[in-house]
Amino acid sequence: MASSDAIISASAKFPKPADKTFQYGTAGFRMKATLLDSVVFRVGLLAALRSRKLNGLVVGVMITASHNPPDDNGVKLVDPMGEMLEASWESHATNLANAPTDEMLANFYERLADGLKIKSEEKSRVIFARDTRASGSRLVTALVEALSAAGTEYNDYKILTTPQLHYLTRCLNTKGTPLEYGVPTEQGYYEKLAAAFKIAINGKKCNGSVTVDCANGVGGPKLRELLKYLPAASEGGVEIKVVNDDVVRPERLNHQCGADFVKTGQRAPPSSQAGKMARCASLDGDADRIVYYFIDNESTFRLLDGDRIATLAALFIGDIAKNAGLGEKLKVGVVQTAYANGASTAYITQDLRLPVVCTNTGVKHLHHAATKFDVGVYFEANGHGTVVFSDVAMKRILKYEPKSPAQSTALETLRALTDLINQAVGDALSDLLLVEVILAHKGWSPKEWELTYTDLPNRLVTVKVRDRNVFKAVDAERRLESPPGVQAQIDDLVGKYKNARSFVRASGTEDVVRVYAEAATRGEADDLAQKVDAIVRLAGA
């Protein structure tokens, strides 16, 4: 394990900005890249400790800022099974990042190791990757210095999507065990998805092409690489048209494109040039979220967001499980956040007759809740999500003996889905193929998909505040506990509109507060959002 002198010497190269306080949130640390060097160094120290605490299991570090502007960057830790960092360790990350001096950092590191009873002789292993941001290579230097100072084995996987790093972390830790997840290489990732897709599609024909906007981020080159492993449309695959994949000019990242631009602006990227009724999708900057959309015959933009993907996946998996003879043996459930459209929740509970659980925003909360079901489907409205199969469900699916040829066919598709879906984390490339498989089986166009239910009009507004921590939410972030009296004002407003609801939630990464409003008509939703916005501005001034 690292000596204090080694840490102090290495840390001196990456001094902490004196006037900044950092907080590890739902997306790790995320901010202007110029402020991150000391933070990344200290995350490297924590990654080494985390691996040692877990007896040398591989821990991942991803340098990315997802949908944020090109000048931002971020860093987050990946636990051994490809999940987010255990919540109890987030405070350790925050404390390390905020140690005022190099000497205090080394002292806190030693006290943390002692307090957690981490054996100094235990080896530690860390893998890491980054997205295409210009600042990434510089931040890797800080990370490597920390890992070296901590005496850690490490492997640099260069440029990857965030889900690919999660996949590799899980594969490395399960290799040679009954839970082996896949070949721990980038090529192994492509081969696993492609093989599962070929089985899951099962000869069904895709309805036309899909145009995929890659946010000018890492998803562009990685999707093009995946296409090399997939069958062409003429051979039973799907025609995927890649747009916005310019990674040569980092300043183009997320500029008027990408999943966040589409979801927030409720419009297609200007550069997509998609025709009417054409099936389109947008990834975010690190390819861990995806939304679909189309322009209808009246030239109206139609969004098919994470709520839509969740309902589509739940519908299909529920049906395919029944057709395989496992309908009574697998409990399928859906996990949502407060951002989920109220109409989607009603569709799941009333039409699909499946249970819904609402959690706090953040993948770690949704993922945890999803594991309580045999098959847990979770997607945030922003398009970040996946499907998790419990160990019990996997055993039932793999061991079940079909009673008819029809059951056998359905079971083969269900088994393929367990490989096609990246169960470690939300994965835009995996989710893209999942949606294409389901639409092919259903024979649906995006219009038919949209007709499953009608979204309530909604509006999401971002409000800059002095201190986001003033706004404290409870009840799965659907109600404000503080500032005092604000929730009562919101309740009073909501009561004046039909089918309305609104909530206020502080960002986990920046000093902004998000206002969500939903109502029976577009005008009412916009009006409600504007009035709640005014309440928040006054309370946060």
Side-chain angles (χ1 to χ4, degrees):
M1 199 158 78
S3 69
S4 291
D5 288 344
I7 290 177
I8 291 169
S9 175
S11 178
K13 302 173 187 176
F14 312 101
K16 177 190 177 294
D19 58 340
K20 293 293 178 182
T21 301
F22 305 113
Q23 184 176 342
Y24 195 100
T26 54
F29 293 109
R30 193 177 291 179
M31 65 200 76
K32 290 295 181 187
T34 52
L35 300 172
L36 261 176
D37 298 73
S38 69
V39 173
V40 172
F41 176 85
R42 293 157 188 231
V43 166
L45 295 180
L46 188 67
L49 279 181
R50 182 70 178 152
S51 178
R52 280 198 174 91
K53 176 64 178 176
L54 299 174
N55 303 314
L57 288 176
V58 175
V59 168
V61 178
M62 187 68 199
I63 296 175
T64 180
S66 187
H67 59 277
N68 282 39
D71 290 342
D72 288 1
N73 215 326
V75 61
K76 58 185 175 182
L77 285 158
V78 179
D79 260 359
M81 286 301 284
E83 69 272 60
M84 308 304 288
L85 176 67
E86 183 183 305
S88 65
W89 278 63
E90 292 180 6
S91 61
H92 303 327
T94 297
N95 290 334
L96 279 172
N98 289 303
T101 67
D102 303 326
E103 290 76 15
M104 292 176 74
L105 171 65
N107 181 261
F108 183 80
Y109 179 87
E110 286 192 354
R111 285 192 289 112
L112 183 58
D114 289 342
L116 293 170
K117 297 180 171 58
I118 295 173
K119 299 175 183 176
S120 59
E121 67 274 13
E122 190 72 64
K123 77 174 183 178
S124 56
R125 297 184 295 159
V126 172
I127 66 170
F128 58 89
R130 58 189 172 90
D131 66 15
T132 55
R133 292 165 192 272
S135 58
S137 57
R138 188 191 82 243
L139 295 173
V140 162
T141 301
L143 179 61
V144 169
E145 285 276 357
L147 298 176
S148 298
T152 299
E153 293 178 22
Y154 62 84
N155 197 343
D156 181 0
Y157 280 88
K158 310 298 181 186
I159 293 176
L160 292 177
T161 69
T162 293
Q164 286 177 328
L165 185 78
H166 284 254
Y167 166 86
L168 289 170
T169 304
R170 184 163 177 164
C171 287
L172 288 166
N173 287 309
T174 57
K175 188 177 181 181
T177 75
L179 298 173
E180 190 159 342
Y181 193 62
V183 178
T185 63
E186 185 179 346
Q187 180 179 337
Y189 168 89
Y190 299 129
E191 289 175 343
K192 180 179 181 180
L193 289 190
F197 175 81
K198 290 172 188 174
I199 297 170
I201 199 81
N202 195 25
K204 301 295 189 294
K205 186 173 175 58
C206 292
N207 185 2
S209 64
V210 57
T211 298
V212 183
D213 151 37
C214 296
N216 292 319
V218 64
K222 301 310 182 186
L223 177 54
R224 287 196 181 278
E225 191 63 26
L226 175 59
L227 290 179
K228 297 175 184 177
Y229 296 82
L230 294 171
S234 59
E235 299 169 347
V238 57
E239 182 184 359
I240 298 175
K241 299 177 180 178
V242 181
V243 299
N244 294 327
D245 62 337
D246 180 4
V247 295
V248 176
R249 295 176 290 175
E251 69 275 10
R252 302 279 298 163
L253 176 67
N254 295 320
H255 179 65
Q256 292 198 314
C257 59
D260 194 61
F261 173 87
V262 171
K263 170 67 177 170
T264 305
Q266 302 276 313
R267 61 191 178 107
S271 55
S272 69
Q273 299 178 337
K276 289 181 179 180
M277 303 307 292
R279 193 164 72 257
C280 300
S282 283
L283 319 182
D284 69 337
D286 65 338
D288 67 355
R289 57 166 100 162
I290 184 171
V291 295
Y292 271 72
Y293 50 92
F294 67 100
I295 308 297
D296 68 16
N297 287 323
E298 286 72 47
S299 299
T300 302
F301 173 82
R302 300 290 185 182
L303 179 67
L304 299 160
D305 62 6
D307 296 343
R308 295 282 183 176
I309 298 172
T311 56
L312 185 71
L315 167 66
F316 184 67
I317 292 171
D319 285 350
I320 209 80
K322 288 175 189 171
N323 294 341
L326 286 165
E328 298 301 316
K329 297 179 176 67
L330 295 177
K331 182 182 179 184
V332 180
V334 180
V335 184
Q336 296 183 318
T337 71
Y339 288 108
N341 193 280
S344 73
T345 309
Y347 173 72
I348 296 164
T349 56
Q350 296 169 21
D351 292 71
L352 301 186
R353 298 188 178 279
L354 294 174
V356 173
V357 172
C358 187
T359 73
N360 285 2
T361 301
V363 178
K364 62 186 178 185
H365 302 298
L366 287 110
H367 192 96
H368 178 72
T371 61
K372 305 298 183 186
F373 295 104
D374 292 330
V375 183
V377 181
Y378 75 85
F379 276 84
E380 294 182 288
N382 63 23
H384 194 166
T386 190
V387 182
V388 180
F389 295 81
S390 71
D391 291 343
V392 170
M394 289 297 294
K395 287 175 184 174
R396 286 176 179 162
I397 291 168
L398 294 174
K399 291 183 177 180
Y400 183 72
E401 294 288 341
K403 307 297 189 295
S404 68
Q407 280 194 5
S408 180
T409 299
L411 185 62
E412 186 179 42
T413 300
L414 183 59
R415 287 172 176 166
L417 290 182
T418 66
D419 280 334
L420 180 62
I421 294 163
N422 187 344
Q423 296 184 49
V425 71
D427 184 339
L429 302 187
S430 164
D431 292 336
L432 170 71
L433 297 183
L434 173 64
V435 169
E436 292 303 313
V437 163
I438 298 173
L439 293 180
H441 274 265
K442 297 295 242 180
W444 282 358
S445 68
K447 181 64 178 175
E448 288 162 310
W449 178 10
E450 188 203 26
L451 287 173
T452 50
Y453 64 86
T454 302
D455 271 324
L456 287 166
N458 59 88
R459 182 62 68 198
L460 181 63
V461 179
T462 299
V463 185
K464 286 190 176 182
V465 293
R466 278 194 307 173
D467 181 8
R468 69 179 185 271
N469 295 312
V470 169
F471 294 85
K472 298 189 184 303
V474 293
D475 186 22
E477 301 176 322
R478 290 175 287 193
R479 298 185 65 78
L480 277 181
E481 186 177 59
S482 68
V486 172
Q487 186 60 53
Q489 294 178 63
I490 295 172
D491 290 342
D492 184 55
L493 277 175
V494 166
K496 298 175 182 178
Y497 301 88
K498 185 180 178 183
N499 295 336
R501 69 185 182 99
S502 180
F503 66 89
V504 174
R505 173 187 172 268
S507 167
T509 56
E510 52 191 324
D511 276 324
V512 298
V513 169
R514 307 197 197 285
V515 172
Y516 179 88
E518 191 177 273
T521 68
R522 164 59 59 200
E524 287 181 315
D526 288 346
D527 191 52
L528 177 58
Q530 184 180 4
K531 288 178 177 174
V532 176
D533 176 315
I535 292 172
V536 169
R537 287 183 190 279
L538 189 62

